[in-house]
Amino acid sequence: MKKVFAGIFIAWILIMATSTTNAATKIQLKVDDVVIVTDVNPEMKNNRMMVPLRVISENLGAKVDWTKSQVTLTKSTMKVILIQNSRTAVVNGQTILLDTQPYVKNGRIFVPLRFLAETFGSKVHYNNLTVKVETKPLIIDGVEVKSILHEYHMTMGGIEEQLKGNAYIEEMYHLFVKNKGSKVEPPADFT
């Protein structure tokens, strides 16, 4: 009988140790395979992935504007209005009921990730403690743009870096498409 109680006690300790370890584990958020660092961690609430509004919106390429009781997100022709303490959102003039209400925690507004990502045309994938958001691919002349090489030169040499993530390079993409075929004059002075 003592062996049974000892076995149950050890099993209980193991379960408690693993559950506290899992509770402390952070959820990793990626947009187009770029890890998004936030000062407040994403979290699961009511079986929904909740993320800080500004971080996810700006990483999806949306502009964030605040008033006293609402936040407006804009990206090209898309306009989303979220009203404080409300389960409704207005997307391009149409009212939509959210399946969970945004809330404030640590001075940040948390919103359901899937609603925001899919509203801006992205897909969401879950894999253990990693949440991946895939935006629409950027295509120029039938070729998908995976990254843009950013190069600049200084007195003692040059630096090259690859910019990855569609949300980061989307504005440059639109400039390329708009000005494709236009003649561009080289700069008179590289300094």
Side-chain angles (χ1 to χ4, degrees):
M1 188 71 155
K2 288 182 181 181
K3 289 182 181 180
V4 172
F5 284 123
I8 292 173
F9 181 71
I10 290 172
W12 180 77
I13 288 175
L14 289 173
I15 290 171
M16 292 305 292
T18 57
S19 67
T20 56
T21 303
N22 288 339
T25 306
K26 290 173 49 175
I27 296 169
Q28 186 179 52
L29 180 61
K30 291 183 176 183
V31 175
D32 295 325
D33 290 327
V34 176
V35 175
I36 306 303
V37 180
T38 63
D39 58 343
V40 180
N41 296 325
E43 61 187 27
M44 290 296 289
K45 187 170 183 177
N46 300 329
N47 289 329
R48 299 290 180 261
M49 178 59 60
M50 304 297 284
V51 293
L53 172 77
R54 182 174 296 277
V55 170
I56 192 62
S57 299
E58 289 178 349
N59 279 282
L60 290 174
K63 182 180 174 193
V64 180
D65 291 312
W66 291 89
T67 63
K68 289 182 181 181
S69 62
Q70 73 180 29
V71 60
T72 303
L73 312 171
T74 53
K75 180 180 176 182
S76 59
T77 61
M78 181 66 66
K79 182 177 181 181
V80 178
I81 299 172
L82 295 167
I83 301 167
Q84 190 174 358
N85 299 323
S86 175
R87 286 187 62 173
T88 60
V90 179
V91 178
N92 286 345
Q94 185 177 22
T95 302
I96 295 175
L97 182 63
L98 301 174
D99 55 359
T100 187
Q101 180 172 330
Y103 59 91
V104 177
K105 181 178 179 182
N106 296 334
R108 304 290 184 267
I109 291 186
F110 279 73
V111 294
L113 172 64
R114 185 171 299 278
F115 161 73
L116 217 49
E118 289 179 351
T119 298
F120 288 113
S122 301
K123 295 178 182 176
V124 181
H125 305 282
Y126 297 92
N127 185 8
N128 295 329
L129 294 174
T130 301
V131 182
K132 294 173 86 175
V133 178
E134 293 178 11
T135 61
K136 290 180 186 176
L138 304 175
I139 303 196
I140 298 176
D141 286 340
V143 177
E144 184 176 340
V145 177
K146 295 279 188 182
S147 66
I148 290 182
L149 183 65
H150 178 238
E151 180 178 345
Y152 53 97
H153 295 274
M154 301 170 78
T155 306
M156 298 299 287
I159 297 175
E160 291 182 0
E161 64 180 327
Q162 277 192 345
L163 302 176
K164 294 185 178 184
N166 295 343
Y168 296 115
I169 60 176
E170 191 169 11
E171 287 301 315
M172 288 185 276
Y173 163 77
H174 289 299
L175 285 171
F176 289 151
V177 170
K178 178 182 173 186
N179 296 307
K180 185 177 101 177
S182 301
K183 183 176 180 183
V184 177
E185 296 297 323
D189 186 5
F190 285 99
T191 60

